[in-house]
């Protein structure tokens, strides 16, 4: 049986370097900087950092930043952060040439963004829920038509 890297809590965690699309590289390779497992930023900083990563073509890393907010944020916002993380993973699958995986994750993101209904009525932190739904749906339409979205179309605006 192959031994897997594990964190202090015993969860599987690969220490191998990763490429810009989040794929593991051989041990000792030069990879891109990893997002710390214990990242815990305030929401506005999370969005700014994730947007910067998306703009630079690092959708996988943006997903990790958004996933940290999903796991660390208030319960009432978890569906929203999960949707954003899934959107970023959908973009990652497009970058990796995996349209089936992209469809699955973008569909999940649209479902969660559509279902998210904040108590105050407004989506917090200026997140452009409606714009993100429309963007994901346009990516899904392109994938359904067999068209690979252009790299510039993989940089959605998280805030309006």
């Amino acid at each position: 049986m192959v031994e897997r890297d594990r964190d202090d809590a015993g969860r599987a965690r690969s220490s191998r370097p990763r490429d810009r699309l989040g794929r593991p590289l051989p041990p000792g390779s030069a990879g891109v900087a990893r997002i710390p497992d214990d990242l815990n930023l305030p929401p506005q900083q999370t969005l700014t950092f994730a947007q910067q990563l998306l703009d630079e073509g690092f959708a996988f890393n943006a997903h990790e930043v958004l996933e940290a907010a999903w796991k660390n944020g208030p319960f009432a916002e978890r569906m929203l952060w999960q949707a954003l993380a899934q959107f970023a993973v959908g973009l990652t699958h497009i970058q990796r040439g995996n349209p089936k995986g992209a469809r699955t994750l973008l569909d999940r993101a649209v479902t969660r963004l559509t279902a998210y209904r904040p108590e105050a009525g407004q989506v917090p932190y200026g997140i452009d829920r409606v714009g993100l739904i429309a963007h994901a749906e346009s990516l899904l339409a392109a994938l359904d038509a067999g068209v690979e979205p252009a790299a510039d179309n993989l940089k959605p605006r998280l805030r309006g």
Side-chain angles (χ1 to χ4, degrees):
M1 182 173 210
V2 176
E3 278 294 313
R4 297 181 70 188
D5 293 337
R6 302 214 174 260
D7 65 13
D8 293 338
R11 292 182 299 265
R13 295 267 190 233
S14 175
S15 61
R16 288 172 54 187
R18 294 186 177 265
D19 70 8
R20 69 180 290 112
L21 303 180
R23 297 175 293 207
L25 295 169
S29 298
V32 300
R34 301 281 299 261
I35 301 300
D37 290 334
D38 61 350
L39 184 70
N40 190 2
L41 300 173
Q44 292 292 4
Q45 280 185 278
T46 295
L47 291 166
T48 298
F49 190 21
Q51 187 67 64
Q52 176 187 355
L53 291 165
L54 289 170
D55 291 346
E56 293 173 2
F58 291 96
F60 180 79
N61 286 34
H63 144 262
E64 289 186 326
V65 169
L66 295 164
E67 184 178 58
W70 158 25
K71 293 181 177 182
N72 294 319
F75 182 79
E77 295 177 5
R78 288 203 173 154
M79 182 184 292
L80 175 63
W81 292 106
Q82 184 179 27
L84 297 176
Q86 288 174 329
F87 196 126
V89 174
L91 299 173
T92 301
H93 282 293
I94 292 171
Q95 291 174 326
R96 291 178 178 176
N98 178 6
K100 181 179 179 186
R103 275 189 208 93
T104 299
L105 272 297
L106 290 171
D107 276 333
R108 287 180 188 167
V110 167
T111 298
R112 283 187 170 79
L113 285 168
T114 302
Y116 179 71
R117 298 283 185 239
E119 290 180 25
Q122 284 192 308
V123 180
Y125 319 115
I127 294 170
D128 186 5
R129 180 179 151 271
V130 172
L132 288 167
I133 291 169
H135 193 104
E137 288 175 340
S138 73
L139 291 171
L140 286 164
L143 292 169
D144 289 342
V147 176
E148 183 176 335
D152 282 348
N153 207 18
L154 303 180
K155 300 174 183 181
R157 306 307 311 158
L158 298 175
R159 292 181 275 205

